[in-house]
Amino acid sequence: MKSIIQKLYNLYMEENDRTDIERLRTQGDDLCKKKREDAYQSYQKLRSRLTGNLAEELDILMDKHLEIFPQELENSFEAGFKTGAKLMCEIFSEEAETIKRYGSFRDQ
């Protein structure tokens, strides 16, 4: 059974897939696009210098990295979400403590 955070992540990714595609078509993310293009050019340059077997090994390595990336993205989303929730809990617990100690602002 998926956790709530995983379900939120999936909804977030589905929504961003639709909106990001439109945003990238209209605005473009020049910095990310440039970095992606630079990385691809570096890959192509290296691959062209390799022999058949080494080129295949490089492709396998790159495929493995591409398989890892979505999981890393999901883990980062989960960690960020949990950090945000912890921050909210800390803020609310401090606020509750202040209200216990001094009463609410409405009481004054």
Side-chain angles (χ1 to χ4, degrees):
M1 180 175 207
K2 287 186 176 181
S3 72
I4 293 172
I5 295 173
Q6 287 172 323
K7 289 177 184 178
L8 285 171
Y9 173 77
N10 291 338
L11 288 172
Y12 171 80
M13 291 305 293
E14 287 173 16
E15 181 63 28
N16 279 340
D17 283 347
R18 289 189 293 269
T19 57
D20 282 348
I21 288 169
E22 277 305 310
R23 182 180 57 80
L24 289 173
R25 282 185 188 147
T26 57
Q27 297 175 350
D29 188 354
D30 293 338
L31 180 60
C32 184
K33 189 175 182 180
K34 172 135 180 45
K35 288 181 178 182
R36 192 177 320 126
E37 183 63 29
D38 289 346
Y40 183 71
Q41 293 300 324
S42 295
Y43 160 77
Q44 288 290 2
K45 185 178 176 182
L46 175 61
R47 193 177 191 291
S48 70
R49 294 187 340 223
L50 298 175
T51 63
N53 286 341
L54 290 175
E56 286 179 29
E57 286 184 46
L58 177 63
D59 289 341
I60 291 169
L61 175 65
M62 295 304 292
D63 287 344
K64 287 180 181 181
H65 278 285
L66 291 174
E67 289 173 11
I68 294 168
F69 180 73
Q71 185 63 45
E72 289 177 333
L73 185 61
E74 185 175 342
N75 290 345
S76 294
F77 178 88
E78 183 177 334
F81 190 90
K82 286 179 178 180
T83 300
K86 288 176 185 177
L87 179 62
M88 290 172 49
C89 289
E90 183 178 321
I91 290 168
F92 290 136
S93 66
E94 287 175 5
E95 187 175 305
E97 186 61 37
T98 301
I99 290 172
K100 283 182 194 175
R101 186 173 296 151
Y102 301 108
S104 72
F105 291 117
R106 293 182 193 147
D107 295 341
Q108 298 173 354

